[in-house]
Amino acid sequence: MDFSLLFKHQDMLLHGAWITLQVTFGALALGLFLGILAGTGRISRRVQIRVIADVYIQVIRGTPMLLQIFFFYLGFPQLYMLATGDGFTPDPLITGIVALGINSGAYNAEIIRAGIQSINKGQMEAARSTGLSHTQAMFHVILPQALKRMIPPLGNELIVLLKDSSLISTIGVAELMFTAKVLGARYYTYVPFLVGVGCIYLVLTFGFSRLFNALERKLSAGSGARTEKKGAVPDLG
């Protein structure tokens, strides 16, 4: 087992790490968008919207992520061919981002729903009394307040996505795990590359974990300072 091979191929490993980060943040952005739609849909006053949001969440959370990745990469092109008569080969990177993003959206929906419901109902009533519609009040008043409470679980979701991005190596995306498998097969030794990739994952997950912890502390400190200022007794001397 020659660990010096890690330094010989550090460019490939760093490129794999860059692809992993692209997939992670692309999927997180899509997941947040879908999560907001589905999370607000779960508490919508319209039954149809609630049903659609609930079906999406239950289907995605009730099936394996690897199955979803294969469906979008292998199954969806066949459905497209049946519908249009034209075939196409999906881009593995885009497919991976979409599959992971759709999966993340179902979990983010529950995070966002819980965050919204944690806000006092009086906030919505106050916003509506100023002339805002329910949708405007939700996006301009409720969601910004709820976001602070969503930071810890959203940070966890980012770390989960970072690790789960390794699954898209099965469809040929040249991220970290794919790079480790390719290099391991080239030299007929997998341990050095698997250990090296594992260390990169640890550095990334630890770094993001510390970043979100610092962000949470900063937001908590800011909220505490405002509360203290609001409750301070004026100096009459």
Side-chain angles (χ1 to χ4, degrees), residues 149-162:
R149 304 181 185 186
M150 300 176 196
I151 292 297
L154 287 178
N156 291 335
E157 179 62 20
L158 172 64
I159 292 173
V160 168
L161 272 177
L162 178 64

Side-chain angles (χ1 to χ4, degrees), residues 65-108:
M65 184 183 291
L66 188 58
L67 183 150
Q68 296 163 21
I69 293 171
F70 282 159
F71 176 82
F72 283 104
Y73 188 67
L74 302 174
F76 182 75
Q78 290 188 345
L79 294 177
Y80 182 83
M81 179 179 290
L82 288 174
T84 65
D86 297 325
F88 79 100
T89 301
D91 180 85
L93 179 61
I94 300 300
T95 303
I97 292 174
V98 170
L100 290 178
I102 290 175
N103 182 277
S104 178
Y107 291 90
N108 286 336

Side-chain angles (χ1 to χ4, degrees), residues 109-126:
E110 291 300 289
I111 294 172
I112 290 166
R113 177 194 60 78
I116 291 172
Q117 292 184 327
S118 70
I119 302 299
N120 192 300
K121 293 182 179 180
Q123 294 288 325
M124 175 61 78
E125 295 171 359

Side-chain angles (χ1 to χ4, degrees), residues 40-194:
T40 54
R42 282 291 304 275
I43 55 178
S44 172
R45 292 172 295 179
R46 298 183 180 181
V47 177
Q48 300 93 329
I49 295 178
R50 290 203 306 271
V51 169
I52 293 172
D54 190 57
V55 168
Y56 161 64
I57 292 170
Q58 296 303 325
V59 169
I60 296 301
R61 295 183 65 167
T63 54
M65 184 183 291
L66 188 58
L67 183 150
Q68 296 163 21
I69 293 171
F70 282 159
F71 176 82
F72 283 104
Y73 188 67
L74 302 174
F76 182 75
Q78 290 188 345
L79 294 177
Y80 182 83
M81 179 179 290
L82 288 174
T84 65
D86 297 325
F88 79 100
T89 301
D91 180 85
L93 179 61
I94 300 300
T95 303
I97 292 174
V98 170
L100 290 178
I102 290 175
N103 182 277
S104 178
Y107 291 90
N108 286 336
E110 291 300 289
I111 294 172
I112 290 166
R113 177 194 60 78
I116 291 172
Q117 292 184 327
S118 70
I119 302 299
N120 192 300
K121 293 182 179 180
Q123 294 288 325
M124 175 61 78
E125 295 171 359
R128 293 298 303 276
S129 68
T130 63
L132 295 177
S133 67
H134 184 274
T135 302
Q136 289 174 326
M138 181 64 69
F139 282 92
H140 295 292
V141 178
I142 304 300
L143 278 176
Q145 295 183 67
L147 180 61
K148 296 178 182 179
R149 304 181 185 186
M150 300 176 196
I151 292 297
L154 287 178
N156 291 335
E157 179 62 20
L158 172 64
I159 292 173
V160 168
L161 272 177
L162 178 64
K163 293 184 292 184
D164 286 347
S165 65
S166 61
L167 292 173
I168 64 174
S169 64
T170 57
I171 59 174
V173 179
E175 44 72 68
L176 275 172
M177 277 302 301
F178 185 86
T179 303
K181 289 192 295 184
V182 168
L183 291 174
R186 179 185 300 179
Y187 291 97
Y188 301 101
T189 177
Y190 289 92
V191 173
F193 299 110
L194 292 176

